[in-house]
Amino acid sequence: MMFDLQIFKKLVKEAYQGYGLHIRREEGEYQLAGRYWYLSVKIDCFPNKARAAVIELVGEFPKENEEFIARDKEDKTYEGCFNNWDNITKEMPKQEILYYATKVMVENKDSVYRVWKSIMRKNALLIQERFTDFCSNDNIIKRSETEPAGPFLWHWYSGHAAMVCWVNNACKFMTLTREEPTNDMEEKTFLTILDEIELPSLV
């Protein structure tokens, strides 16, 4: 599978212990989501170790066309679990707008972000550093999976906030970039400067 198993385990555990781990089974896919990320994967391609990591937390996967939200020490919620994601994930990706990882990283509070740049839009996005190698050729099953492409711009909000996506023939992963704060003029200025300058590529 195109995603890194160890990072996947951390994502689902964080969601389960906090915002809630959203899980749905639909049209031969598992869909999982946390507060700021979304993953859809074909059921027959989902690694057993990834499946086991989810079952260890929530006990089971939903049946076909069912969904729930699981939180630690709470009963499952069975309605409206993906309302916030459906409108976004059903959009068509803006695949002509591709981003590349730069060598620049930014630390903010408890997270580290890497700066990603688009030549076409001349803008910078901050994506959590752990996602830099989350989707890569190193993780795919070569006999059945295509190389992952991305990140593409999928959905634009405003300022420097966006949804980006990596995708191959078996899986789609989406995450929010760091939202631009409304009251931090220093950081706004910093991101605006990054928009206008060339930054070296990570590879």
Side-chain angles (χ1 to χ4, degrees):
M1 188 52 57
M2 75 175 190
F3 57 82
D4 180 273
L5 179 61
Q6 297 307 313
I7 298 176
F8 170 80
K9 288 180 178 180
K10 291 179 181 178
L11 289 175
V12 296
K13 187 174 183 179
E14 288 174 4
Y16 177 69
Q17 293 178 338
Y19 176 79
L21 179 58
H22 299 54
I23 307 177
R24 175 163 61 187
R25 180 173 179 171
E26 184 178 61
E27 298 179 354
E29 289 186 344
Y30 288 136
Q31 300 169 25
L32 301 95
R35 183 176 63 85
Y36 57 86
W37 60 269
Y38 168 94
L39 175 73
S40 65
V41 56
K42 292 181 179 178
I43 292 175
D44 57 358
C45 295
F46 199 44
N48 288 334
K49 289 183 178 179
R51 191 192 311 267
V54 175
I55 292 175
E56 183 179 353
L57 295 172
V58 306
E60 62 182 354
F61 276 86
K63 297 180 175 63
E64 183 68 20
N65 296 320
E66 291 185 356
E67 61 186 35
F68 59 72
I69 302 173
R71 296 183 180 90
D72 190 20
K73 300 177 182 178
E74 294 185 21
D75 293 336
K76 293 185 177 73
T77 302
Y78 291 92
E79 295 182 1
C81 306
F82 280 80
N83 289 351
N84 292 334
W85 285 103
D86 281 341
N87 290 336
I88 295 173
T89 57
K90 295 184 187 307
E91 290 183 4
M92 292 299 292
K94 302 170 177 61
Q95 292 198 0
E96 72 279 5
I97 304 175
L98 182 65
Y99 286 77
Y100 68 90
T102 74
K103 293 182 179 180
V104 179
M105 290 192 292
V106 178
E107 187 171 358
N108 182 276
K109 295 182 180 179
D110 297 327
S111 296
V112 177
Y113 297 85
R114 185 170 295 278
V115 178
W116 292 68
K117 288 274 290 185
S118 167
I119 297 175
M120 293 186 64
R121 292 183 68 102
K122 293 185 179 181
N123 73 303
L125 298 176
L126 299 181
I127 301 175
Q128 282 195 35
E129 168 57 13
R130 60 179 168 180
F131 295 135
T132 298
D133 296 317
F134 180 60
C135 301
S136 75
N137 296 339
D138 296 336
N139 302 320
I140 66 172
I141 302 172
K142 291 183 169 54
R143 66 178 181 273
S144 59
E145 281 188 86
T146 58
E147 294 183 0
F152 300 112
L153 176 64
W154 189 281
H155 180 85
W156 191 260
Y157 294 99
S158 62
H160 293 83
M163 181 75 71
V164 292
C165 174
W166 289 259
V167 63
N168 73 355
N169 64 319
C171 182
K172 175 169 64 181
F173 175 74
M174 306 171 71
T175 185
L176 284 165
T177 66
R178 187 189 189 286
E179 296 182 24
E180 183 181 82
T182 58
N183 57 354
D184 191 337
M185 293 305 298
E186 182 176 341
E187 183 167 344
K188 283 186 177 182
T189 301
F190 171 71
L191 292 174
T192 301
I193 291 173
L194 290 181
D195 286 346
E196 300 300 325
I197 61 177
E198 290 188 17
L199 297 174
S201 174
L202 183 61
V203 294

